[in-house]
Structures are given as structure tokens and as C-alpha cells.
């Protein structure tokens, strides 16, 4: 009788742990290097991930990456172009089963984009030389994303270095691409100082 009682308690504990992993997510820090390497190969930019990676299964398969920094590796000292508190990529179960994963939703939480207003001549020349050729554009496929969401984003317009001239804050974007007619439906709002945009 005591063995049955302990077996029942163990079964409930294992079930509760499995349910917790489904809802909260499983740490997957082994993916950090893979994501960084793939991103650098595809874009030429460096990606730093400080907060780790989690895989979730409920309510849909997802991957969450936290504390992301995008660096421009072309300068003598790498420059911070973008920081993101977290990014979540969600796919549908049906697309995983079919072997053609479709991104159902891509969410960026608190992204901060830094845009230099004055570009140096060296940077202009480098960006002109770095333009992809028509052949490389043709071979690269655009990912199929159903919905893109940006929560509480900011754009900082920089005069020089980290000197902020102006900023647009509280940017919230919801964009959906319809499959039938490939029309982009988007809702965007933001604040420039105290003025709502």
C-alpha cells in the first residue's frame, strides 16, 4: 500500500514538472552559438545574446531569446545598433508536422534602434561597397511570417556617438500579411515627445 502511495506521488510530481516545462519553457542555451553564427553568416552583423534561450511548447511551439544586442562589426570598435529585451518566434504545430515550418508570430519586446544622423565618408563608402549583388538577392528567400508585433519600441536619432538629438518612443506595431492577396495590414502608434503619432 505504501509503495502505491509513493508511486502515485512520484507520478503527480513528474506530471506537474512536465506541465511546468510546457508552459514556462525549457532552457536551451546550447542554441546561442548556433543562432549567433547563423545570423552573422546571413547578415554580416554580430549578435550578442546575454539572457539565454528558452524553448516552449504551449500554447504553440516557440523559441524565446532574451537580452539581444546587434553590433555593426565593420567599425574599428563595434557599435551598438539595436537592443531588444526579448524576441519570440512562434510556429504552428501543423507546419512542423508538414516539414515546412511557418512562422506564425514574431514578437519583439522593447527594441531600441540607434540611427546616426551624420554618417562619416568612410561609412558611406563601406555601405556602398557592401550592397548585395543581384545574384545574392535572388538566392535569398524572405521568411514566411504570419504576424509581426513590436511592443514598446524606441528609435534614437543620434547626432554623434551616443548624443541623442531626438527620439520616438512607445512604438507599438502589429502587422499581418494576408495569404490570399499578400496584403499587409498594419496598426502603428508611437510618441514623439508628448505628441502621439
Amino acid at each position: 500500500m505504501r509503495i502505491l502511495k509513493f508511486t502515485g506521488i512520484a507520478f503527480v510530481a513528474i506530471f506537474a514538472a512536465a506541465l511546468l516545462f510546457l508552459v514556462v519553457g525549457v532552457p536551451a542555451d546550447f542554441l546561442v552559438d548556433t543562432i549567433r553564427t547563423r545570423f552573422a553568416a546571413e547578415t554580416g552583423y554580430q549578435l550578442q545574446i546575454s539572457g539565454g534561450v528558452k524553448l516552449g511548447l504551449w500554447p504553440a511551439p516557440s523559441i524565446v531569446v532574451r537580452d539581444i544586442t546587434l553590433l555593426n562589426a565593420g567599425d574599428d570598435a563595434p557599435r551598438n545598433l539595436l537592443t531588444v529585451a526579448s524576441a519570440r518566434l512562434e510556429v504552428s504545430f501543423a507546419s512542423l508536422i508538414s516539414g515546412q515550418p511557418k512562422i506564425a508570430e514574431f514578437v519583439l519586446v522593447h527594441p531600441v534602434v540607434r540611427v546616426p544622423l551624420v554618417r562619416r565618408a568612410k561609412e558611406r563608402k563601406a555601405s556602398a561597397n557592401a550592397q548585395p549583388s543581384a545574384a545574392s538577392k535572388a538566392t535569398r528567400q524572405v521568411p514566411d511570417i504570419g504576424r509581426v508585433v513590436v511592443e514598446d519600441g524606441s528609435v534614437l536619432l543620434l547626432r554623434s556617438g551616443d548624443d541623442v538629438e531626438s527620439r520616438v518612443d512607445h512604438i507599438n506595431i502589429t502587422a499581418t500579411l494576408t495569404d490570399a492577396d499578400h496584403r499587409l495590414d498594419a496598426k502603428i502608434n508611437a510618441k514623439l515627445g508628448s505628441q502621439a503619432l
Side-chain angles (χ1 to χ4, degrees), residues 45 70-72 75 77-82 112-124 127 154-167:
Y45 291 98
L70 179 66
L71 299 171
N72 182 2
D75 296 340
R79 195 180 37 172
N80 179 344
L81 300 174
L82 169 73
V112 178
V113 180
R114 289 166 176 77
V115 181
L117 293 176
V118 179
R119 296 179 65 182
R120 293 173 290 201
K122 182 173 125 181
E123 290 175 351
R124 282 197 298 268
S127 65
S154 297
V155 175
L156 307 181
L157 303 173
L158 306 176
R159 202 173 300 124
S160 62
D162 286 333
D163 187 17
V164 178
E165 180 170 303
S166 62
R167 59 188 300 148

Side-chain angles (χ1 to χ4, degrees), residues 84-107:
V84 181
S86 71
R88 188 181 86 243
L89 203 68
E90 188 177 290
V91 296
S92 67
F93 278 112
S95 68
L96 282 179
I97 293 169
S98 70
Q100 297 176 332
K102 178 183 176 182
I103 300 169
E105 187 173 65
F106 180 56
V107 180

Side-chain angles (χ1 to χ4, degrees), residues 3 8 21 25 30 32 37 44 52 67-68 107 124 127 129 174-175 191:
I3 294 173
F21 278 130
F30 61 90
V32 169
T37 305
D67 295 331
I68 305 164
V107 180
R124 282 197 298 268
S127 65
N129 293 338
T174 304
K191 280 194 174 180

Side-chain angles (χ1 to χ4, degrees), residues 176-185:
T176 306
L177 184 66
T178 58
D179 288 333
D181 54 3
H182 298 293
R183 191 183 72 200
L184 181 68
D185 294 327

Side-chain angles (χ1 to χ4, degrees), residues 2-171:
R2 184 175 286 181
I3 294 173
L4 286 175
K5 184 178 179 182
F6 284 127
T7 305
I9 292 171
F11 178 75
V12 169
I14 290 169
F15 179 75
L19 188 61
L20 185 66
F21 278 130
L22 280 174
V23 174
V24 175
V26 181
D29 292 336
F30 61 90
L31 291 174
V32 169
D33 286 335
T34 305
I35 293 169
R36 286 172 47 211
T37 305
R38 182 74 186 263
F39 189 85
E42 289 287 327
T43 66
Y45 291 98
Q46 291 180 1
L47 197 64
Q48 290 182 347
I49 300 172
S50 305
V53 178
K54 273 190 179 179
L55 295 176
L57 291 174
W58 185 261
S62 64
I63 181 168
V64 177
V65 184
R66 298 191 185 282
D67 295 331
I68 305 164
T69 304
L70 179 66
L71 299 171
N72 182 2
D75 296 340
D76 298 333
R79 195 180 37 172
N80 179 344
L81 300 174
L82 169 73
T83 57
V84 181
S86 71
R88 188 181 86 243
L89 203 68
E90 188 177 290
V91 296
S92 67
F93 278 112
S95 68
L96 282 179
I97 293 169
S98 70
Q100 297 176 332
K102 178 183 176 182
I103 300 169
E105 187 173 65
F106 180 56
V107 180
L108 292 175
V109 178
H110 195 58
V112 178
V113 180
R114 289 166 176 77
V115 181
L117 293 176
V118 179
R119 296 179 65 182
R120 293 173 290 201
K122 182 173 125 181
E123 290 175 351
R124 282 197 298 268
K125 186 177 178 183
S127 65
N129 293 338
Q131 293 296 325
S133 66
S136 66
K137 281 183 183 176
T139 57
R140 183 173 293 166
Q141 282 189 326
V142 177
D144 187 7
I145 302 175
R147 185 171 179 230
V148 175
V149 177
V150 174
E151 298 176 359
D152 195 26
S154 297
V155 175
L156 307 181
L157 303 173
L158 306 176
R159 202 173 300 124
S160 62
D162 286 333
D163 187 17
V164 178
E165 180 170 303
S166 62
R167 59 188 300 148
V168 180
D169 290 310
H170 305 295
I171 301 170

